[in-house]
Amino acid sequence: MTPQTLTTRPATTRAGTSRADRRAEQARARARQRDLVLGGGRGPRIAAVTVLVVLATLWLLPMLWGLATSFKAEQDAVSLPLTLFPESGFTFDQYRDLFAAGNVQQWMFNSLLVAVLVTVFTLAVAAPAAFAMSRMDFRGRSALMALTIAAIVVPPQLLIVPLFQQMVSLNLVDTYAAVILPQLVMPIIVFILKRFFDAVPRELDEAARIDGASYWRLFATVILPLSRPILAAAAIFVFISAWNNYLWPFIITTDPALMTLPVGIPNILDSYGTFYAAQLASSMVAAAPMVIVFVLFQRHIVRSVATTGITGQ
């Protein structure tokens, strides 16, 4: 056996042991989360799961009914007595008519573009602001925090007129910038992140400062990695809020090519009157991206609620 073999085997063993330790620690963390959410004993856990299943079923029944109705012909959707399975069978006519009547693909792209950019830039602005108010000492910090809290309680409808006048003065009406820029400031996200950053132990700051880390390095290498669960939850909140925003895009855009999905689809439905199957089909199209986003990131939401995120996992 060569010396090289002798020196490489222990390294492999240590690496394998390290991976096994990480998997075991992750399993223990998941078990702690389950105990925290569902209870530590078998009885409370069964009761909690039963209640959750019942509540989930009650929540899903209207969604399933709406989904089934969107695949019905209009006469089957309004015929009495109401049935889940129509006599003439399910059809894709409502979806075909919806996509044929308007530029749904363009509106969906606009909604996705606006929601993604608003989410990215909102977090890019809110996270450093929350870090500064949580970790840095500067004159006027208390006043700035009070102003942030005061901005949370201001109804956004009060800002529509000054925001519209500002967009007109900047010649940004009927542009993506006019739709995106006013949605970037969300004081509630700053407050939520600031409260989370306050819970991060100050000992980590002291250790980083001893190593010569600046505030920016402390923010990027210590605070942000520990804040992934809350950042993911905040990102989902901002994304859903931007996707569902109807009032501001409706006011600031008149070009059909710049409309978002919540603005464009009602224009189609209003022009054809009240059709329940068509309305539910449009609702399913508008809600589908939200369902996908939630399914992909639901574990981050649960983790942000069930834990403090200090483990950095």
Side-chain angles (χ1 to χ4, degrees):
M1 184 176 294
T2 63
Q4 183 178 1
T5 305
L6 291 174
T7 57
T8 55
R9 283 186 176 177
T12 304
T13 303
R14 287 194 300 270
T17 303
S18 179
R19 286 193 295 269
D21 292 342
R22 286 197 297 269
R23 286 195 294 268
E25 179 60 29
Q26 292 174 0
R28 288 192 293 269
R30 288 193 294 268
R32 288 194 297 269
Q33 292 179 16
R34 287 194 300 269
D35 292 341
L36 181 62
V37 176
L38 302 177
R42 183 178 179 85
R45 181 174 299 180
I46 294 176
V49 171
T50 303
V51 172
L52 291 175
V53 169
V54 172
L55 293 177
T57 303
L58 294 176
W59 180 83
L60 285 175
L61 282 177
M63 300 292 294
L64 294 176
W65 185 272
L67 180 62
T69 305
S70 68
F71 288 100
K72 297 179 182 179
E74 186 62 31
Q75 60 271 18
D76 292 328
V78 297
S79 62
L80 296 176
L82 296 175
T83 58
L84 182 62
F85 300 98
E87 295 181 359
S88 58
F90 293 107
T91 177
F92 287 92
D93 290 343
Q94 304 300 335
Y95 290 92
R96 282 195 292 263
D97 294 342
L98 179 65
F99 280 86
N103 197 0
V104 177
Q105 295 88 336
Q106 180 65 39
W107 298 338
M108 188 173 293
F109 170 78
N110 293 340
S111 294
L112 183 62
L113 177 65
V114 170
V116 169
L117 292 179
V118 168
T119 301
V120 171
F121 286 108
T122 297
L123 293 182
V125 172
F131 172 79
M133 286 188 284
S134 175
R135 284 302 202 264
M136 300 176 65
D137 293 325
F138 56 90
R139 181 177 298 177
R141 186 179 70 169
S142 299
L144 184 61
M145 189 61 199
L147 183 62
T148 301
I149 297 175
I152 296 175
V153 301
V154 176
Q157 292 80 4
L158 295 179
L159 303 177
I160 288 179
V161 173
L163 285 175
F164 184 80
Q165 293 176 344
Q166 186 177 11
M167 294 300 107
V168 171
S169 63
L170 295 175
N171 197 24
L172 292 178
V173 177
D174 265 343
T175 62
Y176 285 116
V179 180
I180 294 172
L181 290 177
Q183 301 186 62
L184 298 184
V185 180
M186 298 189 69
I188 184 64
I189 299 300
V190 177
F191 178 76
I192 292 173
L193 294 180
K194 193 263 182 186
R195 295 291 295 175
F196 185 88
F197 295 162
D198 288 343
V200 177
R202 298 281 178 168
E203 290 79 4
L204 299 176
D205 298 26
E206 298 174 0
R209 300 294 290 179
I210 291 175
D211 292 337
S214 62
Y215 278 116
W216 279 111
R217 186 178 176 185
L218 172 65
F219 173 66
T221 61
V222 177
I223 301 298
L224 284 185
L226 297 176
S227 305
R228 282 180 293 180
I230 193 64
L231 289 174
I236 295 173
F237 176 81
V238 176
F239 185 91
I240 293 176
S241 176
W243 181 276
N244 292 331
N245 193 349
Y246 170 80
L247 185 59
W248 177 248
F250 174 76
I251 292 174
I252 204 63
T253 58
T254 58
D255 186 0
L258 294 174
M259 290 182 178
T260 58
L261 202 60
V263 177
I265 286 183
N267 291 334
I268 300 176
L269 299 178
D270 292 342
S271 61
Y272 288 94
T274 302
F275 294 98
Y276 297 105
Q279 289 179 349
L280 288 171
S282 65
S283 300
M284 293 300 111
V285 170
M290 299 297 95
V291 175
I292 295 173
V293 169
F294 181 80
V295 169
L296 292 178
F297 296 99
Q298 62 176 333
R299 65 186 183 92
H300 295 287
I301 299 178
V302 174
R303 186 174 299 176
S304 66
V305 174
T307 68
T308 60
I310 302 303
T311 57
Q313 297 175 359

